[in-house]
Amino acid sequence: MEFPQDFIWGTASSSYQIEGGAFDDGKGPSIWDTFSHRPGTIADGTNGDVACDSYHRFEEDLDILKSLGIRNYRFSVSWPRVIPEGTGDINKAGLEYYDKVVDGCIERGIDPWMTVYHWDLPQALEDKGGWQNRDTVAAFRDYTRVLAEHFGDRVKHWFTINEPEIFIGLGYGTGEHAPGLRLEPREQFRCWHNALLAHGEAVRVIRDVVPDAVIGAAATGMLGYVHEHLKETPKEISDFSFHTGESQLKDGHFFFFYQWAFDPMVKGKYPDDPISPWSRCAEEMSSEEGFREDMELISQPLDFLGLNIYNGTEMDPANGCQVMQRYVGFPRTAIGWHVTPEVMYWGPRQIWERYGLPMVISEDGQSCNDRIFLDGKVHDPDRIDFLQRYLEELSDVIKDGVPVKGFFHWSFTDNLEWNSGYDERFGLVYIDYRTQDRTVKDSAYWYSRLIQGKQI
Ligand code: GCO
């Protein structure tokens, strides 16, 4: 497989999943602190109080990144570590921590890619309605300004929000994620709209404060694919990828689509998606005063789109591009997600055809049942195989003219996989949670050789 000379190779993490230090040095509680302490919310009964202890061990982690030659690191800022109540007083110790992370990256030749929001909303804001409350948008704008003013001299790559599909869909829809609410579609959609407004405000602020910033947002969703690399994209595939289907309505996951985030962000309007319950909500909202201005704010020009791609849905061109029944025993990762490398070809291609913006793969990876072997190493050939398959498809789509500029492996280290707990290991680096010892996995050495252009 081949990649352009200037291709951006990186790896990713998020604050709540790795930091720990949940109540240290003036940090306020986030909705994930509250949620994870509620019995029955996290599969293995754990929480992020300590996580990978990156709050204390980031130097060691950055050394590992450097030793692997990984030159781009995507991480997120914990809002309540910086502004404990969500608005008002700034916690200097919080900013100092991220100063050390940012400077630590730069000293090691690593470009920091900062995500403003990866789900850890200050609990104080949730107490006032969280994403249901439009005041959260202004709070987000002010929080982003603090980050832009403080870090903008050193941080040039920014993600505003990460996966609204999940933090709204699972947080305020199905209740599986913090804050654990199960709202009706109309109320969910209000949250959704507010999250997109927050994104728009953030883009505007970062642009204003850091004129040479490169700004995007990361989203995820359903994507259809066919096995072959056809010349034309069958209409049935993109119809599938960008329209809510009956099965998602039935399982209550109708929010899990790219178009609900990227249509408003890029095209300035909500999608034409007839059977989604949100279409009615968007229609109703469109008669509210200020709606046009809202859409203008949401659709601030972006430099790139971040795609978090893990798997897709195969369709059969021989059969009118119907969804293909998966065969018995179809390959799966440890968390149970299907291994579908072709989505790494068809996903970026369809997003490119619909939105016409450069992209980075902001997340991709697999969870494995990793462990330390008798020889003291972590052998994870399944992760290497997964990466090789997905990256070959990515290399092909780039060759076909689709501008994917970078790839961030999810994740850097093993970490707290939200409500699934610590059992799901996505990292290139193994964490022994009893001792916090780090062990670099075989896949990390493989990735390191790949990105340095060595024989893999
Ligand atoms: C995400 C998440 C990550 C997850 C990863 C694996 O953006 O969903 O951003 O936090 O851990 O996707 O599920």
Side-chain angles (χ1 to χ4, degrees):
M1 61 180 122
E2 278 169 51
F3 286 89
Q5 272 292 311
D6 58 353
F7 195 71
I8 296 156
W9 291 107
T11 184
S13 71
S14 92
S15 46
Y16 188 68
Q17 294 180 277
I18 64 162
E19 282 178 6
F23 309 100
D24 288 10
D25 303 332
K27 176 182 166 291
S30 80
I31 54 175
W32 272 95
D33 293 313
T34 310
F35 181 77
S36 64
H37 279 260
R38 210 177 292 155
T41 52
I42 311 290
D44 57 5
T46 57
N47 55 56
D49 288 6
V50 178
C52 313
D53 197 28
S54 305
Y55 185 63
H56 300 106
R57 293 170 196 259
F58 64 92
E59 297 275 1
E60 180 184 350
D61 291 343
L62 295 179
D63 283 345
I64 296 174
L65 270 184
K66 181 178 176 194
S67 72
L68 293 169
I70 298 176
R71 306 290 295 270
N72 295 276
Y73 182 38
R74 173 179 178 230
F75 61 92
S76 76
V77 174
S78 159
W79 183 350
R81 197 181 288 291
V82 172
I83 308 179
E85 299 283 307
T87 56
D89 290 346
I90 294 172
N91 178 33
K92 261 186 67 193
L95 285 178
E96 276 163 22
Y97 168 65
Y98 294 108
D99 271 335
K100 284 185 259 175
V101 173
V102 166
D103 294 344
C105 282
I106 293 169
E107 279 157 19
R108 292 169 177 82
I110 299 163
D111 195 357
W113 292 59
M114 188 176 272
T115 304
V116 177
Y117 186 74
H118 202 128
W119 311 354
D120 35 8
L121 186 75
Q123 181 61 42
L125 293 184
E126 182 56 34
D127 294 342
K128 297 182 206 147
W131 289 109
Q132 295 184 74
N133 183 349
R134 195 172 166 125
D135 291 348
T136 298
V137 177
F140 192 82
R141 179 199 58 211
D142 297 346
Y143 157 57
T144 308
R145 183 169 285 280
V146 170
L147 300 189
E149 285 177 349
H150 192 84
F151 299 108
D153 56 338
R154 290 158 288 161
V155 175
K156 301 300 175 188
H157 292 102
W158 295 79
F159 290 91
T160 55
I161 55 176
N162 179 71
E163 291 190 0
E165 299 80 13
I166 305 301
F167 73 82
I168 301 299
L170 300 189
Y172 293 82
T174 67
E176 294 159 87
H177 278 195
L181 299 181
R182 292 160 147 264
L183 305 180
E184 292 304 317
R186 179 173 295 122
E187 300 164 294
Q188 284 172 40
F189 185 69
R190 185 69 60 189
C191 296
W192 184 264
H193 189 68
N194 287 337
L196 296 185
L197 287 169
H199 156 81
E201 289 282 15
V203 178
R204 207 181 251 174
V205 164
I206 299 167
R207 214 44 102 209
D208 177 37
V209 178
V210 192
D212 56 344
V214 178
I215 311 172
T220 193
M222 297 278 298
L223 287 168
Y225 69 85
V226 287
H227 187 67
E228 306 81 0
H229 296 173
L230 307 172
K231 265 211 138 42
E232 296 292 321
T233 305
K235 183 173 173 307
E236 293 84 351
I237 303 187
S238 35
D239 280 353
F240 173 85
S241 298
F242 299 117
H243 286 105
T244 305
E246 296 286 350
S247 55
Q248 289 78 50
L249 279 188
K250 260 186 253 130
D251 68 15
H253 286 140
F254 56 81
F255 47 81
F256 195 62
F257 286 93
Y258 280 98
Q259 71 271 16
W260 281 95
F262 285 162
D263 276 24
M265 286 182 189
V266 180
K267 299 166 180 253
K269 56 186 173 54
Y270 281 112
D272 174 21
D273 189 7
I275 73 166
S276 171
W278 281 0
S279 289
R280 230 178 324 114
C281 307
E283 177 65 35
E284 277 173 25
M285 195 185 270
S286 68
S287 57
E288 286 178 16
E289 212 188 302
F291 182 77
R292 219 169 45 103
E293 290 78 5
D294 279 5
M295 298 314 287
E296 261 171 47
L297 174 59
I298 291 170
S299 55
Q300 297 301 302
L302 288 177
D303 301 307
F304 70 91
L305 299 176
L307 314 183
N308 295 357
I309 296 183
Y310 291 88
N311 54 44
T313 304
E314 185 164 1
M315 306 180 76
D316 183 1
N319 180 22
C321 279
Q322 295 295 305
V323 170
M324 258 172 94
Q325 194 70 19
R326 284 194 170 120
Y327 60 83
V328 175
F330 196 96
R332 283 173 188 268
T333 69
I335 203 171
W337 299 350
H338 292 107
V339 178
T340 62
E342 301 92 333
V343 72
M344 200 48 98
Y345 178 89
W346 282 101
R349 177 163 151 178
Q350 292 176 79
I351 300 277
W352 166 243
E353 286 167 355
R354 190 172 175 95
Y355 300 109
L357 279 177
M359 291 157 282
V360 301
I361 305 302
S362 30
E363 290 180 21
D364 172 51
Q366 81 154 102
S367 72
C368 303
N369 292 319
D370 295 315
R371 64 175 192 275
I372 299 185
F373 282 54
L374 283 170
D375 62 3
K377 298 181 177 159
V378 178
H379 302 297
D380 55 345
D382 33 2
R383 181 171 288 106
I384 294 173
D385 180 76
F386 177 100
L387 272 174
Q388 179 140 16
R389 288 174 189 270
Y390 276 63
L391 288 172
E392 273 171 9
E393 296 285 335
L394 184 62
S395 159
D396 285 350
V397 80
I398 295 170
K399 258 183 253 151
D400 285 353
V402 173
V404 179
K405 304 295 185 188
F407 177 90
F408 291 82
H409 180 267
W410 184 270
S411 174
F412 172 32
T413 62
D414 293 337
N415 59 52
L416 175 68
E417 178 56 18
W418 306 109
N419 57 329
S420 302
Y422 291 97
D423 281 344
E424 302 301 341
R425 294 179 176 275
F426 278 85
L428 293 172
V429 176
Y430 180 91
I431 307 271
D432 181 334
Y433 294 105
R434 298 165 303 180
T435 58
Q436 292 294 346
D437 285 347
R438 273 80 168 133
T439 306
V440 176
K441 300 180 192 178
D442 285 357
S443 59
Y445 293 120
W446 180 89
Y447 190 57
S448 170
R449 285 195 299 278
L450 170 81
I451 69 188
Q452 294 177 75
K454 296 185 184 152
Q455 196 70 34
I456 48 172

